[in-house]
Amino acid sequence: MGSSWRFAWTRWSPPSTRSAEVRPGDLAGGGDSAAGPFLTRLSAGAGRIELCAGLVEGGTTPSMGLLQVVKQCVRVPVFVMIRPRGGDFLYSDREVEVMKADIRLAKLHGADGLVFGALTEDGRIDTELCTALLAVCRPLPVTFHRAFDMVHDPLVALETLISLGFERVLTSGCDSSALEGLSLIKRLAEQAKGRIVVVPGGGITERNLQRILEGSTASEFHCSARSARDSGMKFRNPNVAMGASFSAPEYSIKVADVAKVRTLNAIAKNIL
């Protein structure tokens, strides 16, 4: 895709008494820019980054090489996504082995926190699997990702996550976007009463961030700050794509937009 590095689904929060969590998408450096300085500039003032690959699939486990490079370039905590594939959150025994191995490797290579989610076939939190994975993750903090939006009963699921010991849960309020699910997000935050951090995410932009933060009473948020950048490839084959039919255009690269990040940070600082 014409870039030296791809950093997908990264998220961070600007430091304040109440932090904001941002997901800027791909951080692409190469050719006319250096990945290291770009990452350092992008994370300046940030409190946390979440790292993953597979944007088209909603985020999957990143390579350990990617983790190593990011850790060398930033001074903020890096949380690593643990998700062996796209699709549902019902995992086989072999996939669980992969997840445990990835957690151990992420810890070995400097991860500051982990992010995962697992459900039973009837849409409940898989307490047995989550307990086993949490044991491997500790003593690092853990976030339950948007698998939460696929649960049968979100209010019951929240209590389950609290009892298991998750530090955060990311959710769009079980709807198509955080704005659409705002009422449930607020209800979850009120129910949590500080026992777990409820992080709204999904479709958040600089245009609706203020409404979501004020309407949800959330202390953190998760959003995209990406824009498209044309590929540097001069020769292009329009007949071939390196992905499925729903993948992104072959010669368009999603990159983190520093201007958007600054705008989001400014909005958050005025509200949080």
Side-chain angles (χ1 to χ4, degrees):
M1 299 287 286
S3 65
S4 300
W5 320 107
R6 291 191 69 196
F7 306 99
W9 291 79
T10 61
R11 307 164 190 149
W12 72 91
S13 54
S16 63
T17 55
R18 305 171 77 189
S19 62
E21 184 170 307
V22 183
R23 180 186 68 188
D26 285 353
L27 311 184
D32 60 353
S33 66
F38 182 73
L39 268 173
T40 301
R41 185 172 72 252
L42 190 64
S43 64
R48 184 172 66 253
I49 290 177
E50 185 183 292
L51 188 67
C52 53
L55 284 174
V56 174
E57 296 181 296
T60 55
T61 306
S63 74
M64 294 304 102
L66 177 59
L67 174 58
Q68 283 186 307
V69 170
V70 172
K71 286 290 293 182
Q72 292 169 3
C73 296
V74 301
R75 295 189 178 93
V76 296
V78 178
F79 282 38
V80 176
M81 170 77 79
I82 302 298
R83 189 179 178 215
R85 56 164 173 78
D88 64 39
F89 305 99
L90 182 65
Y91 297 113
S92 68
D93 291 342
R94 290 298 185 189
E95 288 171 332
V96 171
E97 290 181 22
V98 172
M99 295 171 80
K100 289 180 178 179
D102 282 335
I103 291 170
R104 295 187 185 101
L105 286 171
K107 292 172 68 176
L108 182 65
H109 291 287
D112 300 290
L114 288 309
V115 182
F116 70 80
L119 305 179
T120 61
E121 62 182 12
D122 58 353
R124 304 179 193 281
I125 304 297
D126 190 332
T127 56
E128 182 178 355
L129 176 52
C130 285
T131 298
L133 294 177
L134 282 166
V136 183
C137 290
R138 297 308 187 197
L140 300 182
V142 185
T143 298
F144 193 95
H145 58 45
R146 284 190 63 199
F148 184 85
D149 291 323
M150 302 299 188
V151 299
H152 175 72
D153 187 330
L155 301 182
V156 171
L158 184 70
E159 292 301 322
T160 301
L161 296 183
I162 292 170
S163 67
L164 288 170
F166 283 90
E167 280 77 13
R168 292 179 178 83
V169 56
L170 174 62
T171 179
S172 64
C174 299
D175 214 320
S176 57
S177 71
L179 191 60
E180 295 293 329
L182 190 56
S183 60
L184 178 57
I185 295 173
K186 181 179 181 181
R187 186 175 178 184
L188 291 167
E190 291 172 345
Q191 178 180 322
K193 296 179 180 177
R195 295 175 295 164
I196 190 172
V197 180
V198 177
V199 185
I204 297 179
T205 69
E206 59 270 31
R207 294 184 297 276
N208 60 27
L209 175 59
Q210 180 172 345
R211 180 179 172 185
I212 290 171
L213 288 179
E214 292 177 343
S216 67
T217 68
S219 60
E220 301 182 8
F221 67 97
H222 161 108
C223 71
S224 174
R226 292 178 292 151
S227 60
R229 189 191 75 185
D230 191 46
S231 166
M233 288 294 297
K234 291 185 171 60
F235 172 77
R236 304 184 180 192
N237 184 349
N239 301 315
V240 179
M242 295 292 114
S245 59
F246 58 83
S247 62
E250 193 69 21
Y251 297 104
S252 177
I253 303 172
K254 294 293 185 180
V255 297
D257 190 320
V258 177
K260 289 185 178 181
V261 172
R262 289 172 177 163
T263 300
L264 291 162
N265 283 348
I267 294 171
K269 288 179 180 179
N270 287 332
I271 299 173
L272 299 178

